[in-house]
Amino acid sequence: MLSVAQSVQVFTGFQVSDLWYMAEAAGRTLLISIVSISIGTLLGCVFGWLLSISRWWGVATLGPILDAFRSIPLIIQLILFFNFFPIIGFPLDPFAAGTIVLTFYTAALVANVARAGIEAVPLPMRRAARSLGMTYWQDLRYVVWPIGLRAVLPAWAGVALGVLKDSALVSVLGYVELLRASQILITRTQEPFLVLAISGAFYFLLSFPISRATARLESRWQS
Amino acid sequence: MIEIRNLHKSFGDLQVLKGVSMEVKKGEVISVIGASGSGKSTLLYCINGLEPIQGGEIVVDGTDVHAKGTDINQLRQKLGMVFQQYNAFPHLTTLENVALAPRIVKGKSKAEAQEIAKRQLAHVGLGDKLSVYPSKMSGGQQQRLAIARALAMEPTYMLFDEVTSALDPELVGEVLDTLRLLSDDGMTMIIVTHEISFARDVSDRVAYFHEGVIEELGPPSQVIEAPTSARTKAFLSNVR
């Protein structure tokens, strides 16, 4: 039978090395977010462009799929996706499953942002560009992209920040990112307040550069 | 030369051009007048292929604009166009607005493109606005910027679609002066306009459009001073 003194040994207080452990986990949060946000944004731009050029077929086919990704809680998507692949014989590790789901989730959100950006450029402006001899793609690249980007950058930053924070949900698959690491430390140290405060500070450090950079770009474009 | 033969254009069920034929020779200035909805702006959009057509043909220097296999982007370099809305690219400075197309469409170097842009901007009186963004300029200045931007492609023809209609009255003069300047340079122009006295002063010929057909076409001394058609007379007495 354990004495009281021995059982207390199971829990150890927060140590400096735990900070390093959390920093590593924050690195994994950063990795999964960077991969999902960048690939998801690229895909989302393509989807948004398809939505903007289609009369009905794009909206009819792509629309419901994107709606599903946007409407179903991310945690359900993660669990369904993660458990679906072993059934068909291709088990995925938590990182791969989490990244794929987050990427499509990002793409679904960015698709609407991208479409709004494209539609922010008035048709007469695009005709003026074409009247100068620009090809369709030159018009997209040199006129629609820069004007649309300026219109929807704040909306995109909102999506990116949201995805960064939502990446915490990948913890349910057993991937040890920042939130999962925090839970493990809480169990061991029994110091939830301290651990969660540090964890929150890490999330802030990850998010701040995104909001800061977009705010900077916006103010530069304003002048 | 621009040859338009039996041009038909409709938007859905609405017939906008019902068999328009005319020729524009090099060096000629033609003004197109008529009520709103008479199809005069649509004519310009058809000439540079921004709108598809349903019948007839438009031939620019021997090239059928709407034929399959026509490189429309190539052809449009010959056909400068200026619109009612100024359509200055808001994210670019005046200089960049004008230098963009020569660089990416014609493949000029950045320095060359900027040289052309500076020359054209000086020509329309914006030589001191090179690093200004369009949002900081008046409507008249933005419209002159649009003219310089089209000229920078060194077009053979210029199409003007009611370029003074969106301007405050006190700014109309500076844009019309720029058009006069081009006419003095010998530029071939089709000018869709509501400025009848300007059309009389600057044009070699005037076309009066009525409900998708050319009602009257001839020198301003005829069409504006002594119209033969009752409809032309009625229109002119209304706008004066």
Side-chain angles (χ1 to χ4, degrees):
Chain A
M1 191 178 158
L2 289 169
S3 72
V4 172
Q6 279 172 316
S7 72
V8 165
Q9 285 299 309
V10 175
F11 306 113
T12 48
F14 195 85
Q15 296 153 7
V16 179
S17 64
D18 294 337
L19 259 184
W20 176 241
Y21 178 68
M22 287 182 81
E24 266 190 303
R28 285 193 281 274
T29 286
L30 184 64
L31 176 69
I32 203 168
S33 301
I34 286 181
V35 173
S36 313
I37 291 171
S38 42
I39 301 177
T41 297
L42 284 177
L43 270 180
C45 286
V46 173
F47 291 158
W49 171 70
L50 284 172
L51 288 173
S52 79
I53 59 165
S54 82
R55 287 173 201 279
W56 59 268
W57 50 267
V59 182
T61 54
L62 206 52
I65 299 172
L66 297 181
D67 273 338
F69 274 105
R70 277 187 306 164
S71 319
I72 298 170
L74 189 57
I75 194 163
I76 296 180
Q77 291 183 38
L78 284 163
I79 294 170
L80 283 180
F81 191 82
F82 183 53
N83 291 297
F84 174 71
F85 277 84
I87 296 172
I88 59 167
F90 297 100
L92 285 175
D93 66 63
F95 175 78
T99 309
I100 292 171
V101 171
L102 267 183
T103 298
F104 277 96
Y105 179 70
T106 309
L109 295 174
V110 170
N112 276 297
V113 172
R115 173 165 67 167
I118 292 169
E119 285 167 2
V121 184
L123 187 63
M125 181 85 70
R126 301 189 61 177
R127 293 188 132 186
R130 297 302 306 277
S131 80
L132 291 165
M134 287 187 210
T135 63
Y136 179 82
W137 299 108
Q138 285 174 329
D139 166 46
L140 268 193
R141 160 72 185 81
Y142 293 99
V143 177
V144 177
W145 168 257
I147 297 175
L149 181 65
R150 282 160 171 75
V152 298
L153 186 74
W156 176 84
V159 171
L161 289 173
V163 170
L164 181 81
K165 287 177 286 185
D166 287 347
S167 71
L169 293 173
V170 178
S171 59
V172 298
L173 306 183
Y175 182 64
V176 185
E177 41 65 72
L178 187 49
L179 182 67
R180 182 77 172 194
S182 306
Q183 287 168 335
I184 291 168
L185 284 180
I186 289 169
T187 308
R188 204 204 69 213
T189 62
Q190 295 295 293
E191 293 189 82
F193 191 82
L194 175 67
V195 172
L196 285 179
I198 295 172
S199 180
F202 270 116
Y203 274 110
F204 178 80
L205 286 178
L206 295 178
S207 307
F208 189 64
I210 299 181
S211 45
R212 189 83 196 110
T214 51
R216 271 219 174 152
L217 272 178
E218 276 176 73
S219 69
R220 198 168 79 193
W221 288 338
Q222 294 259 304
S223 59
Chain B
M1 188 159 79
I2 300 176
E3 300 153 89
I4 301 162
R5 296 191 201 103
N6 196 25
L7 174 62
H8 284 77
K9 164 74 194 172
S10 34
F11 293 102
D13 291 336
L14 181 70
Q15 274 207 307
V16 181
L17 296 173
K18 308 168 189 167
V20 169
S21 299
M22 64 191 272
E23 285 183 355
V24 184
K25 295 187 186 65
K26 282 232 169 95
E28 202 173 21
V29 176
I30 293 198
S31 289
V32 179
I33 59 173
S36 298
S38 58
K40 50 196 196 309
S41 293
T42 305
L43 175 73
L44 297 188
Y45 284 93
C46 292
I47 291 175
N48 77 355
L50 285 171
E51 284 289 348
I53 64 174
Q54 277 72 44
E57 61 178 358
I58 301 171
V59 178
V60 175
D61 293 345
T63 307
D64 185 341
V65 178
H66 295 271
K68 270 192 177 164
T70 296
D71 183 348
I72 192 69
N73 298 317
Q74 185 78 32
L75 192 64
R76 281 185 186 136
Q77 296 178 31
K78 284 188 175 186
L79 296 158
M81 183 154 178
V82 184
F83 301 79
Q84 187 175 342
Q85 306 92 340
Y86 329 122
N87 295 323
F89 303 137
H91 59 296
L92 300 177
T93 63
T94 301
L95 183 68
E96 290 163 346
N97 254 279
V98 181
L100 178 64
R103 187 164 61 79
I104 66 170
V105 177
K106 284 195 156 177
K108 305 239 187 233
S109 71
K110 196 174 175 186
E112 266 181 301
Q114 292 198 342
E115 211 43 54
I116 295 168
K118 280 180 194 163
R119 198 167 63 234
Q120 294 300 349
L121 283 164
H123 199 49
V124 301
L126 292 175
D128 57 341
K129 302 270 183 211
L130 298 184
S131 53
V132 176
Y133 283 91
S135 58
K136 302 271 189 275
M137 303 204 299
S138 73
Q141 289 170 331
Q142 289 189 52
Q143 195 57 296
R144 284 188 281 148
L145 163 58
I147 295 171
R149 189 173 67 182
L151 289 174
M153 292 302 288
E154 291 159 341
T156 318
Y157 308 95
M158 285 288 286
L159 313 173
F160 292 93
D161 180 23
E162 300 189 26
V163 290
T164 58
S165 294
L167 291 173
D168 291 336
E170 74 270 19
L171 301 175
V172 169
E174 62 184 82
V175 173
L176 293 185
D177 286 345
T178 309
L179 263 58
R180 280 200 184 87
L181 195 70
L182 295 187
S183 141
D184 294 343
D185 294 345
M187 176 62 78
T188 312
M189 304 195 276
I190 305 180
I191 305 173
V192 168
T193 184
H194 289 290
E195 304 283 337
I196 303 297
S197 59
F198 169 76
R200 183 188 53 210
D201 295 347
V202 81
S203 313
D204 298 307
R205 287 192 294 159
V206 176
Y208 171 64
F209 267 56
H210 180 79
E211 293 180 0
V213 294
I214 298 178
E215 180 77 19
E216 202 162 349
L217 174 65
S221 58
Q222 177 209 322
V223 177
I224 294 179
E225 303 295 343
T228 52
S229 149
R231 287 193 179 122
T232 316
K233 278 180 197 162
F235 173 75
L236 288 169
S237 67
N238 275 337
V239 294
R240 270 177 181 165

